[in-house]
Amino acid sequence: AEVPSQLTLADYESVGAVKGALARQAEAAYASVSEAAKGTFGALFRGLVTVNDDGEPTRRRTRASSLPLEGPMGELVASLIGARILMAASDSTQRATLEVAHEAVFHSWPMIEDWIEHAQEDLRTTRDVERACREWLRLGRQSSHLWADERISSARLALDRLSGGMVPNTELAAFLTPERTRLEQELQDAETPLLRRALIGEMLAELGDLRPGGGTREAGLPDI
């Protein structure tokens, strides 16, 4: 069939009708859930939306097991799946997945449009830290591929703003552990060699050792 070279008024009105229908479905599904479920909106879509360098939103598939679906978020997900805004499926390993049903949702539902616009920088930061975490895991969790504390702090703030303080997955939480905390955890490990312990002590001294007994009191007296 020949493809028309012009968009007719009927075509334009049809597109507008589809967008309007999507928006109404999404709004109705959101309005039908509890306030607690509504409060999980950002944490849910953080895992379902990413942006490219131009700020354009795209879908991303997320394993259902990475989301706390037993509580209020599950209520929101069920409502959006019922409205065909979200789609449940399974990946190649037969694990349950979740994704936005169609990218038209991003340009049809004003609520998600506004959220993406205000969260663009945080979404970019999240995309970058998740890429870095995957590379760190691929290379066997080498400490040389961990980020500096300043960058970790910025990433944690971005995730907190998007997720409402919800804890990220275990691997990402490990990647974003501050250096001081990682060093102190290493000291608590009975398998850590003596020479490594001595080096950690020097590193903590440079960072500012906050452990009880590790600093000094007034007049330079040891805090023992």
Side-chain angles (χ1 to χ4, degrees):
E2 185 179 349
V3 178
S5 59
Q6 294 182 338
L7 183 68
T8 66
L9 178 59
D11 293 332
Y12 183 80
E13 289 176 343
S14 176
V15 171
V18 171
K19 290 182 67 175
L22 275 173
R24 287 192 295 274
Q25 287 174 217
E27 288 294 343
Y30 180 79
S32 70
V33 300
S34 65
E35 289 303 313
K38 289 175 182 175
T40 67
F41 181 91
L44 170 61
F45 281 95
R46 181 191 74 77
L48 301 176
V49 183
T50 188
V51 293
N52 60 25
D53 292 333
D54 295 324
E56 287 296 316
T58 59
R59 296 182 297 167
R60 56 179 293 189
R61 182 178 295 175
T62 296
R63 285 181 176 170
S65 59
S66 69
L67 299 170
L69 299 181
E70 296 80 12
M73 185 183 288
E75 180 189 351
L76 178 59
V77 166
S79 183
L80 292 174
I81 287 176
R84 298 183 181 179
I85 302 302
L86 299 183
M87 178 173 63
S90 58
D91 61 16
S92 58
T93 62
Q94 301 305 308
R95 295 184 181 180
T97 62
L98 195 66
E99 63 182 310
V100 175
H102 197 284
E103 289 189 356
V105 171
F106 299 144
H107 306 289
S108 305
W109 186 11
M111 183 173 177
I112 193 70
E113 275 191 295
D114 290 345
W115 181 80
I116 291 170
E117 180 180 353
H118 288 96
Q120 272 191 33
E121 287 305 314
D122 289 342
L123 287 169
R124 284 195 185 99
T125 298
T126 299
R127 177 198 63 191
D128 292 344
V129 72
E130 287 175 342
R131 284 178 181 171
C133 181
R134 286 194 296 270
E135 182 68 2
W136 173 65
L137 293 170
R138 187 184 70 81
L139 295 171
R141 298 178 179 245
Q142 295 180 17
S143 59
S144 59
H145 284 77
L146 291 168
W147 283 3
D149 276 359
E150 184 176 352
R151 200 173 182 190
I152 285 174
S153 178
S154 296
R156 290 174 69 94
L157 286 173
L159 285 165
D160 283 347
R161 284 191 292 266
L162 289 176
S163 303
M166 194 169 292
V167 178
N169 65 60
T170 305
E171 290 83 3
L172 194 56
F175 182 80
L176 292 175
T177 301
E179 185 178 10
R180 179 185 289 110
T181 302
R182 291 197 308 268
L183 292 172
E184 290 178 354
Q185 289 172 347
E186 196 173 348
L187 278 180
Q188 293 170 7
D189 185 352
E191 300 298 321
T192 302
L194 289 175
L195 288 178
R196 175 61 181 168
R197 289 177 179 277
L199 178 59
I200 290 174
E202 294 175 5
M203 295 168 71
L204 285 173
E206 291 181 8
L207 291 171
D209 195 342
L210 302 180
R211 292 173 299 161
T216 58
R217 302 176 185 173
E218 294 181 7
L221 295 174
D223 182 19
I224 300 176

